[in-house]
Amino acid sequence: MTSFQWSLVGRFLTDRPINFVAMKNTLALIWRPVKGVFIKDLSPSLFLFQFFHELDLEHVTNGGPWTFNQHMLITNRLKVSDNHLQVPLDFADFWIQVHEVPYGFMSEKVGKDIFNFIGVFIEADPNSFGGIWRSYM
């Protein structure tokens, strides 16, 4: 096991400097990792988020997108072979709802087509396609 097995590298979408101490304290309070998190500044605009349990890492990666001072945090999971200064940080996952969908079009295939038009489809909530009164997915 490596010390980076549950680590993320991240940057904020801003040209302004980030107040590291405020960001570190704010994200730790928001994320509330059970086993804790170690946050290190790798450069003025690049940060390492090291978790001490896989569930804490999953909570952060699945619970986003995250922001600090209205700047979005882009993260990527660090792999053993990665150079932490060259990890690609150019994608963010979003949950998207589409409203006013006609009932006959409430299907995963139509959802995939819509979401692939916007970006890259990752997964759908299976509960989004049921319910006669629901007009969104």
Side-chain angles (χ1 to χ4, degrees):
M1 289 195 198
T2 69
S3 61
F4 296 113
Q5 70 175 341
W6 299 315
S7 296
L8 299 172
V9 174
R11 69 178 177 94
F12 291 91
L13 292 182
T14 182
D15 292 330
R16 294 181 173 175
I18 294 292
N19 180 331
F20 176 70
V21 174
M23 177 271 295
K24 183 169 83 165
N25 292 333
T26 300
L27 291 182
L29 282 172
I30 292 170
W31 292 341
R32 291 196 240 175
V34 174
K35 297 288 185 175
V37 61
F38 173 74
I39 303 174
K40 179 179 178 168
D41 53 339
L42 300 173
S43 75
S45 62
L46 193 64
F47 305 96
L48 175 70
F49 304 92
Q50 183 179 9
F51 298 90
F52 301 101
H53 196 279
E54 186 174 8
L55 291 177
D56 290 332
L57 172 69
E58 288 177 9
H59 167 70
V60 171
T61 55
N62 295 335
W66 302 101
T67 62
F68 173 72
N69 282 352
Q70 299 180 0
H71 303 298
M72 191 166 121
L73 175 63
I74 304 289
T75 61
N76 202 339
R77 188 156 184 179
L78 191 60
K79 297 176 189 79
V80 175
S81 61
D82 286 343
N83 176 342
H84 59 277
L85 297 175
Q86 296 179 340
V87 172
L89 296 169
D90 45 14
F91 290 100
D93 297 337
F94 287 89
W95 282 101
I96 297 175
Q97 282 187 352
V98 178
H99 289 261
E100 304 297 324
V101 178
Y103 183 73
F105 292 93
M106 296 280 284
S107 70
E108 188 168 347
K109 186 207 177 313
V110 170
K112 283 181 181 180
D113 290 344
I114 292 170
F115 302 133
N116 279 325
F117 180 77
I118 296 169
V120 177
F121 176 82
I122 298 171
E123 69 177 307
D125 180 354
N127 297 323
S128 294
F129 307 112
I132 194 165
W133 302 111
R134 186 172 285 170
S135 64
Y136 66 90
M137 65 175 155

